Amino acid sequence: MTQKYLLKGDVNRPGPIEVEKGITLRQIIEDIGGGMANGKAVKAVQLGGASGGLLTAAQLDLPLDPKALAPCGVRRGDGVITVLDEDRCMVDVTYRFLCATQTDFCGKCVSCREGTKRMTELCGALRRCTADEADVGMLLELGEIVHMTAFCALGKGSSHTLEAATAAFGSEFQAHIDGHCPLCEKETRAPIEPGDGVAYERKRIMIDPEKCKGCSRCARSCHAEAISGVVKSPFCIDQEKCVKCYTCMELCAFGAIEEVTING
């Protein structure tokens, strides 16, 4: 079974890819992406967009498989693989992924809508070197609260990148608290931007009736009650209700649910 992703970031050959399930991140970067741009080392890989998760260079041999990545707090999300090199500041990266939550999320639940907004404000202050340790503590606490109280997988995963970045690259967060980040000061490149570049309103989650087995697992797991159907017959998604949390895509064992882009 193959899966489609968008490979972006600091690799020589970014772009849409289609890979076999189980391929490792190292194989994707080196064999498909043509290695790291400018000969730099891999620092981290962000999987699944704003609600996905962050893996370090030490985890590149993990297979690109939801079950293998789940213990690391990683979900498929929007199907984007963002590769980051050794010179990227993880505070800046975290801030930009938090900003994406303000444009990609539905805003229906208060904890996610208001919590991620405040998280973005705090991380923005940290990025500008105007936050202190208490602000960072509040940032992490808010991330935990949103994770525990958000309705859907998007909100619950909004703090995954933050948690992984602070755990693996704590010295960079401390540098911003201290008011001096050498990585930010020497950076001249365009910043890493999350997502696939497709506007939220042009995305649709669709069920392929030819692949759907009618098991109803997607419908039973949809918090928005956007999926309906009869068992052993193809199910369908109500686009008016769907909040694009990708939970159904991750749960479908038959590859019947895909994200498509609507032109126009």
Side-chain angles (χ1 to χ4, degrees):
M1 180 184 295
T2 62
Q3 296 178 315
K4 296 180 180 178
Y5 293 88
L6 176 63
L7 179 63
K8 62 185 297 186
D10 302 319
V11 292
N12 283 312
R13 293 197 298 265
I17 63 173
E18 186 168 354
V19 298
E20 291 289 338
K21 185 178 180 180
I23 189 173
T24 67
L25 291 167
R26 190 181 304 278
Q27 289 174 306
I28 290 175
I29 293 171
E30 295 180 357
D31 299 339
I32 300 176
M36 297 297 290
N38 301 316
K40 295 183 179 180
V42 180
K43 185 173 193 174
V45 178
Q46 169 74 22
L47 292 174
S51 64
L54 190 74
L55 296 176
T56 66
Q59 298 170 299
L60 292 182
D61 291 312
L62 287 171
L64 196 61
D65 180 276
K67 292 182 179 179
L69 295 174
C72 303
V74 176
R75 55 194 296 274
R76 187 181 190 278
D78 61 8
V80 179
I81 302 172
T82 306
V83 183
L84 307 162
D85 70 30
E86 57 191 319
D87 289 335
R88 295 289 183 182
C89 172
M90 297 311 299
V91 174
D92 180 70
V93 169
T94 300
Y95 169 72
R96 295 185 185 282
F97 275 91
L98 281 173
C99 284
T101 66
Q102 302 302 296
T103 57
D104 285 354
F105 288 5
C106 70
K108 288 185 178 179
C109 67
V110 175
S111 62
C112 181
R113 183 180 68 243
E114 301 301 325
T116 57
K117 180 180 179 181
R118 182 61 177 143
M119 287 169 64
T120 303
E121 292 172 351
L122 286 169
C123 195
L126 180 65
R127 176 174 165 269
R128 297 188 300 273
C129 296
T130 58
D132 56 23
E133 292 186 4
D135 293 325
V136 175
M138 182 179 292
L139 174 61
L140 293 170
E141 184 177 349
L142 277 172
E144 184 177 355
I145 292 172
V146 173
H147 171 74
M148 294 173 60
T149 58
F151 288 167
C152 76
L154 280 172
K156 291 182 181 299
S158 61
S159 62
H160 285 171
T161 297
L162 169 67
E163 293 169 358
T166 53
F169 307 103
S171 61
E172 296 179 25
F173 283 77
Q174 186 61 50
H176 277 260
I177 293 173
D178 295 339
H180 175 71
C181 177
L183 290 177
C184 287
E185 290 169 3
K186 74 175 183 179
E187 184 63 87
T188 58
R189 298 170 294 176
I192 287 291
E193 295 295 345
D196 55 10
V198 178
Y200 180 81
E201 64 271 11
R202 290 177 54 205
K203 296 179 182 179
R204 299 288 187 276
I205 309 299
M206 308 286 288
I207 298 177
D208 185 340
E210 295 185 1
K211 294 181 180 180
C212 180
K213 306 299 182 183
C215 70
S216 80
R217 188 181 184 188
C218 58
R220 287 182 280 115
S221 303
C222 181
H223 80 282
E225 300 182 347
I227 305 176
S228 60
V230 178
V231 174
K232 295 185 179 181
S233 297
F235 278 61
C236 62
I237 299 177
D238 184 340
Q239 298 300 326
E240 294 275 331
K241 296 181 179 179
C242 178
V243 297
K244 308 181 186 73
C245 71
Y246 304 100
T247 300
C248 57
M249 288 178 59
E250 295 169 354
L251 291 176
C252 182
F254 310 104
I257 308 177
E258 293 184 326
E259 182 183 68
V260 299
T261 300
I262 304 300
N263 294 321

